[in-house]
Amino acid sequence: MNPITEKIYDLFGGRITPETAEWILLGGVFVAATVVFWLVGRLLFFRPRRTDEETGEPRGLFAALAPALAEQIPESQKERQEFAKMLRQAGLYQPQAKTTIYALRFVLLILPIIVAGIWVVWANNPTVTWRVLPAGIILGAVLSIVPRLYVWQRRRRRLARIRRGLPDTIDMLSMCASGGLGLSESLEHVCSQLTPYPELAQELAILRRQAEVGSLKYALADFVERVDLPEARQLATLLLRGSRLGVQLAGSLNDQADHLRVARRQLATTAANKTPVKLVFPLLFCLAPSALLLLLSPAAFDLYDYIYPRSEAAATAQPGEAFGTRAVIRTLQQLEQRPQPMIIEGVPTTPEPTP
């Protein structure tokens, strides 16, 4: 027993078994850990969100500690800029989004290591140390990647939804341009009609506001950076060329919408053609072993029964019938056609080999 278990055992005056004392210790550790985690979560994440009257940013303990925690993640300036770009493409435009995610990554990295260290110190056992401490380090490294994977997955799904909505958006822009509306009015009308594609409506609304405040060229460049898709670049090129040269955009936009639909149909056809090839490996590794097992099992059982016969089979065997490995080998040796010595008038001779 460890010292704490002995103290619990002595506290009850020996009226309980050592196993019961260990269970009491484990239960107390579980309850204490649950209370601590609840208090920390309540303090950091479930506090009422209060905003600063001057900055408008949320205040609280986690918001105050987030910048310091975010700085502990070892990443270069280039990696941080790429992650900031990924956040914009994922639709996380809040100013504190980057800091919050970095702080959460650090918390998820260090918390399993701290718990593993406390467990090792508490157990005071070299065997437990070599098992728990590496597990805590690996778990912390894996959990620290989860927020970044979430941002990457959110970005991928968001860009896929934007790609699906671009042909309809270009059609509506073409109709607005044919009706004589300007670019700003067309974007405003299209944003109000894009309820099935809220992400694309949000991006177009940002594009319209940036074009009104600054220049269309800057707004389109920022739109292409946020929506990292070839279709978005083509749309930005058409709009910029139309604003510079003053040409009619309706025909070009219709052609672009038709091209996007054809490209999307081709992508769907390509994905469908890849399906049989992708099914080869599941069929090979899942169905082939079972089919081989069903086909070869009867022959394998018959061969096993012949080499290792049961006692009742050997007892009812016919004369001359061979069982077992040695009997099979002896029978095969007897079947070999070797030259036998000939006996002539009592003198054994060996026949000459035939040429």
Side-chain angles (χ1 to χ4, degrees):
M1 292 190 298
N2 55 44
I4 301 178
T5 308
E6 292 179 357
K7 291 182 180 180
I8 296 175
Y9 183 78
D10 296 336
L11 182 64
F12 283 89
R15 293 189 298 271
I16 60 175
T17 61
E19 291 77 8
T20 306
E22 291 181 358
W23 279 107
I24 293 174
L25 175 61
L26 292 176
V29 171
F30 174 76
V31 173
T34 304
V35 172
V36 169
F37 277 107
W38 182 82
L39 290 176
V40 172
R42 184 75 178 179
L43 183 63
L44 297 181
F45 303 103
F46 298 98
R47 290 190 62 179
R49 297 178 63 86
R50 298 179 299 173
T51 57
D52 196 320
E53 297 179 358
E54 298 180 357
T55 61
E57 296 182 356
R59 294 188 302 178
L61 181 59
F62 186 75
L65 295 177
L69 296 176
E71 293 295 331
Q72 308 304 317
I73 297 295
E75 283 190 348
S76 62
Q77 187 66 24
K78 181 180 179 181
E79 292 175 343
R80 290 180 179 269
Q81 291 176 357
E82 292 178 353
F83 186 68
K85 181 180 178 181
M86 187 187 299
L87 287 174
R88 297 184 66 196
Q89 294 174 356
L92 300 173
Y93 294 116
Q94 296 83 1
Q96 68 276 8
K98 179 181 176 182
T99 304
T100 303
I101 291 178
Y102 270 101
L104 185 60
R105 288 182 61 189
F106 178 74
V107 171
L108 293 177
L109 173 64
I110 201 66
L111 189 61
I113 299 177
I114 294 176
V115 173
I118 295 174
W119 191 345
V120 166
V121 174
W122 193 285
N124 194 16
N125 190 346
T127 305
V128 176
T129 302
W130 289 107
R131 291 180 180 178
V132 174
L133 197 57
I137 295 174
I138 295 173
L139 181 61
V142 171
L143 290 179
S144 66
I145 306 175
V146 171
R148 193 180 184 95
L149 289 178
Y150 165 75
V151 176
W152 179 82
Q153 185 70 12
R154 179 187 173 100
R155 168 187 173 274
R156 189 180 66 85
R157 292 182 178 179
R158 189 170 186 270
L159 292 180
R161 290 192 291 265
I162 290 176
R163 178 182 277 116
R164 287 196 298 267
L166 276 175
D168 298 336
T169 302
I170 295 175
D171 282 337
M172 286 189 285
L173 285 175
S174 175
M175 289 187 292
C176 293
S178 300
L181 294 178
L183 181 59
S184 180
E185 292 81 3
S186 300
L187 290 175
E188 183 178 1
H189 177 73
V190 171
C191 291
S192 62
Q193 300 298 322
L194 283 178
T195 52
Y197 308 105
E199 296 86 2
L200 185 55
Q202 181 186 14
E203 296 297 336
L204 293 179
I206 296 174
L207 172 63
R208 181 180 64 84
R209 289 195 296 267
Q210 289 180 346
E212 291 176 353
V213 174
S215 63
L216 180 62
K217 180 180 179 180
Y218 169 78
L220 290 174
D222 193 67
F223 173 74
V224 170
E225 184 180 356
R226 294 193 313 271
V227 184
D228 190 12
L229 294 173
E231 297 86 350
R233 297 190 187 95
Q234 296 171 3
L235 175 61
T237 303
L238 287 177
L239 295 178
L240 185 60
R241 186 181 63 180
S243 64
R244 284 182 175 179
L245 303 178
V247 297
Q248 292 292 333
L249 293 175
S252 300
L253 291 175
N254 284 330
D255 295 340
Q256 182 66 22
D258 295 337
H259 172 70
L260 292 181
R261 289 191 174 90
V262 172
R264 191 166 63 178
R265 191 180 302 113
Q266 291 176 351
L267 289 176
T269 304
T270 304
N273 293 333
K274 290 180 180 179
T275 303
V277 180
K278 294 179 180 179
L279 287 176
V280 170
F281 296 100
L283 291 175
L284 179 63
F285 292 104
C286 297
L287 298 182
S290 58
L292 291 176
L293 186 64
L294 291 175
L295 293 175
L296 298 180
S297 294
F301 282 120
D302 290 342
L303 182 61
Y304 181 83
D305 291 339
Y306 182 77
I307 296 176
Y308 301 101
R310 299 185 180 90
S311 57
E312 57 271 14
T316 58
Q318 298 295 328
E321 187 175 359
F323 289 96
T325 307
R326 295 182 178 178
V328 172
I329 295 174
R330 186 168 59 252
T331 303
L332 293 176
Q333 290 177 351
Q334 293 175 359
L335 292 176
E336 293 181 356
Q337 297 180 0
R338 294 181 178 178
Q340 300 292 333
M342 299 176 61
I343 301 176
I344 300 176
E345 294 181 358
V347 180
T349 60
T350 302
E352 297 180 356
T354 59

